[in-house]
Amino acid sequence: MSTLATRRSIMTLYSGTDCVLSHACRIVLQEKDIECEVVYTDPSDTCQELAEFNPYYETPTLVDRDLILYDPFIINEYLDERLPHPPLMPVDPVSRAKQRLMIMRLNRDWFDSVKALQADKRDKAAHKVIRDGLIAISPLFTEQDYAMGEEYSLVDVILAPLLWRLPVLNIVLPKQAQVVEEYAERLFERQAFQDSMSDTERDLRGF
């Protein structure tokens, strides 16, 4: 059986080694203890398998038998619904809608800036967007342990890889946002987060 055929028979995630949203998908895989092969790709190389599965040649891309997904937010919701324990989204529709809205805002407001900073750490506008955004949400963590309340959720999954990269993005939070640093440590202490990291991501903090 060819390698490609083998990978079609088991769940496979194509992931960048330092891709924030790929990292989020790997966290979900670990939280759910899902058997999945992670194939790391280098943007400078041509991965023929990824090119076959994803017309945009982007990570993350998930292949689960005949299903191919290449939007990280769709991937995470699919994994949460496919293996519902432990749940990472609330059951009631109002709470689910609020969580989806928060994820949409994070993606729309912050992740383009993350990509810009990864390309050029001198991008002052991108730096300001992320720093000011984290300061703005810091009051949340004076009242609750996680982004959407007392339960760990997909919003925390999305935030954790970003918070891990703050030092290499040269983002230092002021004292009034210290609660964000404490929140970040709660995320980093989770075994699933520790097990999700690529070697490249561990090296970002000399972990």
Side-chain angles (χ1 to χ4, degrees):
M1 182 179 292
S2 69
T3 302
L4 183 58
T6 301
R7 285 185 178 148
R8 278 193 174 277
S9 68
I10 61 173
M11 187 181 292
T12 304
L13 179 72
Y14 294 87
S15 170
T17 56
D18 185 19
C19 168
V20 175
L21 295 176
S22 291
H23 191 179
C25 293
R26 284 183 267 119
I27 293 172
V28 175
L29 291 172
Q30 293 295 333
E31 288 285 348
K32 300 282 185 175
D33 194 22
I34 298 172
E35 183 178 354
C36 178
E37 180 182 7
V38 176
V39 177
Y40 288 105
T41 67
D42 186 331
S44 64
D45 295 331
T46 300
C47 176
Q48 293 299 326
E49 292 178 31
L50 180 57
E52 176 181 340
F53 294 135
N54 186 332
Y56 305 106
Y57 192 70
E58 294 174 344
T59 58
T61 296
L62 183 77
V63 180
D64 188 10
R65 297 184 183 275
D66 293 329
L67 177 66
I68 300 170
L69 300 174
Y70 39 82
D71 176 277
F73 309 107
I74 293 174
I75 290 171
N76 285 347
E77 283 207 32
Y78 169 73
L79 294 172
D80 191 52
E81 292 175 358
R82 188 177 186 278
L83 289 96
H85 300 289
L88 296 175
M89 289 194 75
V91 174
D92 68 284
V94 172
S95 296
R96 289 171 74 88
K98 288 180 178 178
Q99 181 164 299
R100 287 185 176 118
L101 182 63
M102 176 65 86
I103 291 171
M104 182 275 289
R105 290 186 61 188
L106 291 174
N107 183 46
R108 191 167 182 172
D109 296 345
W110 291 6
F111 283 100
D112 282 346
S113 295
V114 172
K115 290 178 183 178
L117 278 177
Q118 286 180 315
D120 181 2
K121 294 182 176 61
R122 297 168 298 178
D123 190 324
K124 293 182 179 179
H127 186 280
K128 180 176 172 56
V129 166
I130 298 171
R131 185 175 184 273
D132 289 356
L134 288 170
I135 293 170
I137 68 168
S138 63
L140 284 176
F141 305 110
T142 62
E143 302 174 353
Q144 59 197 42
D145 285 341
Y146 297 107
M148 301 302 291
E150 295 306 318
E151 299 295 329
Y152 181 84
S153 73
L154 286 181
V155 177
D156 305 297
V157 166
I158 295 296
L159 282 170
L162 166 60
L163 294 170
W164 182 255
R165 288 161 172 78
L166 291 186
V168 297
L169 298 178
N170 297 326
I171 295 175
V172 179
L173 297 178
K175 288 185 178 180
Q176 67 262 36
Q178 180 62 37
V179 288
V180 175
E181 299 282 1
E182 294 167 359
Y183 161 67
E185 289 303 318
R186 286 196 291 277
L187 302 182
F188 302 158
E189 287 170 1
R190 296 178 74 89
Q191 190 63 50
F193 180 86
Q194 295 177 32
D195 293 342
S196 71
M197 287 188 285
S198 67
D199 290 342
T200 300
E201 288 158 347
R202 292 179 187 279
D203 289 344
L204 296 179
R205 293 199 180 202
F207 192 75

